[in-house]
């Protein structure tokens, strides 16, 4: 065991590895290792518990039965600091003669990960640590722990396992035919704290049967009808040595074949070598983002195939439906975007060679995520890694875990607007949803340090009010990332002067509120002062002082309006100007990542409800419903991911074919569906007091939002019939609800079920 590692349990087991395996190749993952231990039991077993972790990802079988249902254990963490272990009850798996097999593939710790495909980041090869504790009926205990008595081999049937590339499996190899040798003890290069898993394990979820199969050239093309993150399961009638290749993709080409152009270096395939007869297979050490697969090397009648979604077991707690079927599909797509990207950590996308914990994406999506899913444990685990990886300068790496991904964390005192804001926005969103102050107190020091870093960074090389304009080289920021009204990445980044300054005001404001909640009045004043000074700088340097930007674009209006950077009068004017801009753009979206979550709020909350609804209901590109019109089953990274003919018009535009059809970020509009259309919003974090204030418009004749709050189910269910607005409401025990009807009449309600009506003229 590494010298400085400490753990929340005493391990008698030792880290072991395969001393004969030398892994030096670059940009690929190591050959999987199989560790074996056989032992006999002669007494009656009362219980047996397996504690296990690895560098690499592991799966155990005991007597050929898989232990547990989790995928990608020990989970994705910042391994240098935090490594999780799992505990499994394996009592039911033991017999008299037992064989325990642990397969460890490279995973995130040793395998090739991040798009530069760096490998061996935390260890030169895989390592395993496990203890099986057996308790007998007579009260005695026995320990089977990893040590030199275990055997190991790299000759197992799993020939290759890589998160991006997929698996290669040779079913002709049986455990009896493998040559094992003695494992050796391993001294780890890193000394993480080893603790019981606190995250939410990845499990199998929805099952998809193919909705069609077509023969295109030599390949069978299966369509599962939904884009998602997961794996295929197949069973075949095979012949010894027959090779079957299964490739995965999100879209098809015009000729009906698979379009894998945007996967970049990710091979996303299963290469399976069959033995004779009937056999089944499903990968364990990889996952793909896909809707379609191609199968070659076998006839359609000899294979049956289905797919399973894989994602962290976050519980669904919210639902939204309304009278517009396209909006309902949008809501489904938002949920699928989330499910596909909650795989151990919040990722950007599940298909190409990224699947990384990009901070900006979840910073902006967290509020929507918290309406749909119970995110607390999942995000708290991720935030622990963020705290561990915060730079001494206060900056936050752009991906957490950074896993060897540098940019631009090597340049002190870097802080990156909106991406680093995840350190504030994510805890804040979890707090709003749960009322749990621990998520604030745990992350309080990190937030303060981050916002101070932003302020210092903004103040460099400038004087007077300009010290609060964050104008550092735009190449260090992502700016108005993927804004569809300017085509180039450098143009998105050039908008960082506005996005970064607004981000500084907003995070300072939120940290000031957090300080107040946690009872730190000095900090409250300190951060409020940053918020006020930054707001003043934004107003006086970027606007005419009366809500008109000197250089206009949608995001530059949205952020100061929604973040209360402008005073009331200027805010109303700014919303008018934004509405003009939106109208001039035919109610199409012009915002990148930072503006998209807030644009409808900025309009609707400031007298421009019509414009907000026109934008939401728009079906022309770029808009949310354009994607739905084009058959999207998830949220796209780029608004113009497909043209009206269903082809991708983007090509290589300098972003290294950055085109994904499963990126949740712009699905952040989900927050508006719950908080404005259904109208459910916490007044006190955690919903002890909440408001229901439905926003009627867009031709909707009914809407229903349902949320399993920490206190129980909240329902807002309204409909319109013949100029009457009727609402049915559920208020859970121990909460109060402030109902505001469309005619502005109000009610204060305690627990119960209610129905109210008023006149409405749409
Ligand atoms: C990712 C994004 C991420 C961005 C930041 C992309 O490659 O997919 O979602 O936030 O890079 O630059």
């Amino acid at each position: 065991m590494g010298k400085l590692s400490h753990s929340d349990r005493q391990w008698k087991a030792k880290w072991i590895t395969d001393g004969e395996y030398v892994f030096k190749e670059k940009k690929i993952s190591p050959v999987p290792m199989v560790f074996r231990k056989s032992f006999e039991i002669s007494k009656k077993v009362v219980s047996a518990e397996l504690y296990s972790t690895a560098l690499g990802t592991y799966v155990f079988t005991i007597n050929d039965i898989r232990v547990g249902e989790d995928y990608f254990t020990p989970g994705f963490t910042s391994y240098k600091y935090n490594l999780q272990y799992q505990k499994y009850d394996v009592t039911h798996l033991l017999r008299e003669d037992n064989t325990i097999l642990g397969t460890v593939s490279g995973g995130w710790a040793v395998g090739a990960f991040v798009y530069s495909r760096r490998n061996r980041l935390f260890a030169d090869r895989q390592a395993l640590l496990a203890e099986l504790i057996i308790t007998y009926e007579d009260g005695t205990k026995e320990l089977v722990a990893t040590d030199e008595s275990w055997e190991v081999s790299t000759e197992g049937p799993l020939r290759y396992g890589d998160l991006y590339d997929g698996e290669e499996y040779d079913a002709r190899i049986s455990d009896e035919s493998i040559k094992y040798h003695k494992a050796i003890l391993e001294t780890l290069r890193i000394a993480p704290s080893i603790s019981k898993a606190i995250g939410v394990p990845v499990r199998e979820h929805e099952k998809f049967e193919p909705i069609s199969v077509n023969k295109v050239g030599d390949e069978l093309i299966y369509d599962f009808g939904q884009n998602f993150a997961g794996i295929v399961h197949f069973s075949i009638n095979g012949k010894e040595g027959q090779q079957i290749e299964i490739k995965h993709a999100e879209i098809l080409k015009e000729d009906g074949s698979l379009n894998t152009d945007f996967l970049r270096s990710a091979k996303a395939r299963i290469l399976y070598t069959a033995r004779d007869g009937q056999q089944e297979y499903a990968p364990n050490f990889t996952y793909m983002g896909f809707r379609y697969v191609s199968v070659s090397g076998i006839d359609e009648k000899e294979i049956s195939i289905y797919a399973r979604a894989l994602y962290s077991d976050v519980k669904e707690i919210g639902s939204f439906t309304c009278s517009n079927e396209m909006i309902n599909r949008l809501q489904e797509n938002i949920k699928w975007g989330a499910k596909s990207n909650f795989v151990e950590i919040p990722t950007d996308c599940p298909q190409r060679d990224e699947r990384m914990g990009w901070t900006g994406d979840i910073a902006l999506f967290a509020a929507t995520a918290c309406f749909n899913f119970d995110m607390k444990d999942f995000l708290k685990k991720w935030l622990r890694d963020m705290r561990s990886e915060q730079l001494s300068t206060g900056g936050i790496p752009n991906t957490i875990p950074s896993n060897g991904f540098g940019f631009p964390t090597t340049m002190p005192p870097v802080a990156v607007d909106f991406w680093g804001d995840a350190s504030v926005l994510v805890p804040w969103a979890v707090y709003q949803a749960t009322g749990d102050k621990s998520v604030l107190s745990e992350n309080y020091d990190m937030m303060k340090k981050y916002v101070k870093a932003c302020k210092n960074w903004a103040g460099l090389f400038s004087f007077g009010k300009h010290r609060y304009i964050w104008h550092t080289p735009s190449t260090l920021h992502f700016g108005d990332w993927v804004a569809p009204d300017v085509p180039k990445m450098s143009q998105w980044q050039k908008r960082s002067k506005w996005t970064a300054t607004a981000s500084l005001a907003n995070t300072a404001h939120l940290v000031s509120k957090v300080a107040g909640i946690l009872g730190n009045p000095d900090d409250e004043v300190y951060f409020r002062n940053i918020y006020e000074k930054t707001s003043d700088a934004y107003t006086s340097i970027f606007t005419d002082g009366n809500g008109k930007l000197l250089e206009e674009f949608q995001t530059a209006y949205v952020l100061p309006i929604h973040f209360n950077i402008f005073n009331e009068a200027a805010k109303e004017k700014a919303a008018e100007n934004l509405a003009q801009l939106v109208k001039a753009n035919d109610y199409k979206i012009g915002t990148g990542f930072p503006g998209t979550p807030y644009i409808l709020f900025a309009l609707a909350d400031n007298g421009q409800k019509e414009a907000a609804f026109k934008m939401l209901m728009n079906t022309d590109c770029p808009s949310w419903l354009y994607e739905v019109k084009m058959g999207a089953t998830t949220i796209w990274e780029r608004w113009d991911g497909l043209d009206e003919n269903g082809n991708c018009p983007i090509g290589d535009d300098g972003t290294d074919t950055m085109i994904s059809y499963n990126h949740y970020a712009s699905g952040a509009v989900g927050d508006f569906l719950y908080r404005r259309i259904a109208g459910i919003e916490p007044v006190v974090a955690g919903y002890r007091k909440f408001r229901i204030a439905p926003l009627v418009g867009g031709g909707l004749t009914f809407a229903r939002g349902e949320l399993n709050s920490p206190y129980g189910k909240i329902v807002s269910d309204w409909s319109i019939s013949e100029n009457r607005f009727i609402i049915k409401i559920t208020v859970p025990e121990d909460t109060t609800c402030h109902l505001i009807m469309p005619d502005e009449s109000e009610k204060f309600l305690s627990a119960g079920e209610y129905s109210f009506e008023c006149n409405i003229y749409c």
Side-chain angles (χ1 to χ4, degrees):
M1 192 156 182
K3 280 180 232 118
L4 297 173
S5 274
H6 55 92
S7 179
D8 59 10
R9 68 184 300 274
Q10 290 291 322
W11 293 86
K12 296 214 175 60
K14 297 183 178 122
W15 281 102
I16 55 170
T17 189
D18 183 345
E20 292 182 12
Y21 180 54
V22 181
F23 171 47
K24 288 233 184 302
E25 293 89 335
K26 291 193 169 152
K27 296 185 185 278
I28 58 167
S29 286
V31 176
M33 291 180 185
V34 189
F35 294 88
R36 181 168 76 174
K37 174 82 182 172
S38 297
F39 57 95
E40 285 174 14
I41 286 176
S42 52
K43 295 195 272 185
K44 188 153 190 318
V45 175
V46 191
S47 69
E49 284 164 352
L50 177 67
Y51 295 82
S52 43
T53 186
L55 284 183
T57 51
Y58 73 86
V59 171
F60 270 110
T61 60
I62 296 181
N63 302 323
D64 292 331
I65 299 179
R66 193 187 200 278
V67 173
E69 298 170 350
D70 305 341
Y71 280 75
F72 314 128
T73 47
F76 192 8
T77 51
S78 298
Y79 297 116
K80 198 170 151 200
Y81 307 98
N82 303 307
L83 178 66
Q84 304 191 123
Y85 66 83
Q86 283 68 34
K87 177 186 169 189
Y88 295 104
D89 181 351
V90 294
T91 318
H92 58 292
L93 299 180
L94 295 183
R95 313 183 303 220
E96 260 173 43
D97 290 318
N98 298 282
T99 300
I100 173 162
L101 289 185
T103 303
V104 186
S105 116
W108 296 283
V110 195
F113 196 67
V114 315
Y115 52 74
S116 52
R117 308 297 297 258
R118 290 185 60 192
N119 61 13
R120 287 170 288 144
L121 277 171
F122 301 100
D124 297 334
R125 55 196 167 196
Q126 303 94 301
L128 178 70
L129 180 74
E131 275 178 12
L132 174 64
I133 302 172
I134 306 166
T135 308
Y136 295 112
E137 203 178 35
D138 63 8
T140 57
K141 285 187 190 288
E142 189 170 337
L143 177 70
V144 180
T146 47
D147 59 16
E148 305 96 309
S149 73
W150 284 53
E151 297 172 298
V152 67
S153 174
T154 50
E155 293 178 9
L158 183 65
R159 305 306 310 138
Y160 189 62
D162 178 276
L163 286 152
Y164 298 145
D165 287 342
E167 288 188 5
E168 290 174 24
Y169 191 87
D170 191 338
R172 294 170 302 181
I173 302 173
S174 68
D175 196 46
E176 295 72 53
S177 66
I178 303 174
K179 277 207 290 311
Y180 281 95
H181 49 269
K182 285 256 178 291
I184 62 157
L185 300 188
E186 178 73 313
T187 306
L188 299 194
R189 258 214 249 122
I190 52 170
S193 146
I194 304 175
S195 55
K196 185 152 189 255
I198 59 167
V200 183
V202 176
R203 301 250 166 92
E204 288 200 334
H205 292 272
E206 291 85 345
K207 180 177 182 183
F208 298 104
E209 299 286 352
I211 58 169
S212 70
V213 51
N214 289 307
K215 185 114 198 199
V216 180
D218 288 340
E219 294 179 333
L220 297 166
I221 305 289
Y222 290 86
D223 177 2
F224 291 104
Q226 171 65 51
N227 196 2
F228 63 99
I231 50 170
V232 290
H233 285 241
F234 59 87
S235 65
I236 59 164
N237 184 14
K239 289 200 177 46
E240 174 99 358
Q242 180 181 8
Q243 276 220 330
I244 293 141
E245 187 182 43
I246 301 183
K247 292 192 281 181
H248 304 66
E250 295 182 291
I251 57 168
L252 296 179
K253 293 196 162 153
E254 259 182 297
D255 64 359
S257 65
L258 226 53
N259 186 342
T260 54
D261 293 353
F262 310 127
L263 301 180
R264 306 200 300 215
S265 76
K267 292 201 183 82
R269 67 163 189 178
I270 305 296
L271 198 60
Y272 182 85
T273 309
R275 56 176 188 270
D276 270 334
Q278 204 58 40
Q279 53 213 284
E280 287 178 6
Y281 189 69
N284 277 294
F285 299 94
T286 190
Y287 72 97
M288 327 283 183
F290 67 105
R291 168 176 171 165
Y292 304 94
V293 296
S294 69
V295 176
S296 57
I298 192 159
D299 282 346
E300 191 187 336
K301 57 181 186 323
E302 305 290 1
I303 180 166
S304 87
I305 187 164
Y306 65 88
R308 285 303 277 258
L310 285 188
Y311 52 87
S312 284
D313 215 357
V314 287
K315 235 197 285 132
E316 257 180 84
I317 56 166
S319 65
F320 177 89
T321 47
C322 67
S323 54
N324 182 317
E325 278 311 319
M326 289 181 91
I327 297 284
N328 293 342
R329 182 66 232 192
L330 172 66
Q331 163 66 10
E332 273 301 291
N333 294 359
I334 292 169
K335 280 196 170 167
W336 272 110
K339 290 174 178 180
S340 315
N341 283 295
F342 294 155
V343 180
E344 267 297 322
I345 58 157
T347 63
D348 55 336
C349 56
Q351 71 300 88
R352 66 174 178 234
D353 53 3
E354 292 209 46
R355 317 182 195 182
M356 291 149 65
W358 279 100
T359 48
D361 304 45
I362 189 65
L364 295 159
F365 186 68
T368 297
C370 288
F371 268 114
N372 288 304
F373 303 96
D374 177 354
M375 298 300 296
K376 193 164 92 176
D377 295 342
F378 180 82
L379 289 175
K380 275 185 132 193
K381 168 205 165 230
W382 185 70
L383 286 165
R384 177 177 69 179
D385 288 329
M386 188 183 282
R387 293 196 296 277
S388 301
E389 294 212 45
Q390 182 171 32
L391 306 176
S392 56
T393 57
I396 306 282
N398 288 322
T399 61
I400 298 289
S402 59
N403 234 66
F405 181 64
F407 175 78
T409 55
T410 44
M411 285 171 267
V414 160
V416 178
D417 71 299
F418 282 100
W419 272 250
D421 294 10
S423 60
V424 180
L425 300 184
V426 172
W428 184 252
V430 174
Y431 171 65
Q432 289 301 315
T434 60
D436 180 350
K437 283 190 196 166
S438 72
V439 71
L440 299 182
S441 53
E442 278 167 11
N443 297 296
Y444 186 52
D445 287 341
M446 171 172 69
M447 302 179 188
K448 286 197 297 181
K449 216 168 146 190
Y450 169 70
V451 176
K452 282 184 185 166
C454 298
K455 179 190 159 274
N456 292 340
W457 193 233
L460 281 182
F461 315 117
S462 40
F463 301 96
K465 287 191 177 179
H466 284 270
R467 291 183 59 74
Y468 290 88
I469 296 292
W470 195 355
H471 64 300
T472 39
S474 58
T475 45
L476 293 183
H477 293 266
F478 300 113
D480 205 9
W481 193 249
V482 306
D485 59 344
V486 282
K488 284 212 195 97
M489 185 164 134
S490 58
Q491 291 170 293
W492 307 335
Q493 291 182 299
K494 279 213 177 84
R495 291 178 171 179
S496 62
K497 201 161 58 167
W498 291 265
T499 59
T501 305
S503 130
L504 174 59
N506 184 46
T507 52
H509 195 187
L510 289 175
V511 174
S512 162
K513 287 187 190 176
V514 173
I517 294 163
L518 297 178
N520 294 302
D522 292 348
D523 287 349
E524 190 177 354
V525 172
Y526 176 85
F527 287 100
R528 186 163 185 94
N529 186 39
I530 300 179
Y531 156 60
E532 283 168 359
K533 290 233 166 67
T534 312
S535 298
D536 181 44
Y538 195 106
T539 308
S540 45
I541 292 167
F542 294 145
T543 77
D544 66 354
N546 194 26
K548 175 101 177 155
L549 283 166
L550 305 181
E551 198 175 326
E552 294 188 296
F553 59 98
Q554 291 184 14
T555 298
Y557 274 120
V558 170
L559 300 178
I561 295 172
H562 189 64
F563 295 160
N564 285 314
I565 285 172
F566 294 149
N567 65 34
E568 282 308 312
K571 190 158 89 169
E572 206 176 300
K573 273 270 164 225
E576 268 173 49
N577 293 328
L578 172 62
Q580 284 305 322
L581 210 58
V582 164
K583 184 174 176 204
N585 199 34
D586 296 326
Y587 297 98
K588 290 188 281 197
I589 274 278
T591 48
F593 274 28
T596 302
Y598 311 120
I599 187 163
L600 299 186
F601 290 100
L603 289 166
D605 292 354
N606 298 289
Q608 304 298 331
K609 182 178 97 166
E610 292 306 314
F613 273 109
K614 280 192 178 152
M615 197 167 214
L616 176 63
M617 298 299 176
N618 201 344
T619 56
D620 291 334
C621 184
S623 67
W624 289 284
L625 294 190
Y626 171 73
E627 295 179 10
V628 173
K629 185 172 82 180
M630 293 312 298
T633 58
T634 39
I635 302 290
W636 302 345
E637 178 175 29
R638 308 280 285 268
W639 298 97
D640 49 355
L642 291 179
D643 62 21
E644 297 269 356
N645 300 319
N647 299 318
C648 177
I650 302 170
D652 192 357
D653 63 346
T655 58
D656 195 15
T657 48
M658 198 190 75
I659 300 155
S660 135
Y661 297 91
N662 207 349
H663 247 71
Y664 53 53
S666 61
V669 66
D671 196 24
F672 186 83
L673 305 181
Y674 283 98
R675 281 211 283 151
R676 290 296 176 268
I677 298 183
I680 304 170
E681 191 164 39
V683 174
V684 169
Y687 296 89
R688 191 168 49 77
K689 288 187 181 164
F690 63 96
R691 187 166 37 233
I692 293 187
L695 190 72
V696 177
L700 295 180
T701 54
F702 77 80
R704 179 185 168 91
E706 203 175 300
L707 177 71
N708 254 319
S709 79
Y711 292 90
K713 196 190 279 183
I714 296 174
V715 181
S716 161
D717 183 346
W718 60 260
S719 57
I720 296 174
S721 154
E722 292 170 13
N723 294 338
R724 290 293 284 170
F725 174 88
I726 305 151
I727 189 162
K728 295 196 177 77
I729 280 176
T730 305
V731 181
E733 287 299 323
D734 302 322
T735 66
T736 52
C737 170
H738 178 192
L739 171 67
I740 306 170
M741 297 286 276
D743 66 356
E744 294 186 357
S745 61
E746 295 178 76
K747 304 222 160 27
F748 288 89
L749 309 165
S750 53
E753 304 215 340
Y754 304 89
S755 177
F756 299 102
E757 293 188 20
C758 71
N759 285 334
I760 192 159
Y761 302 100
C762 302

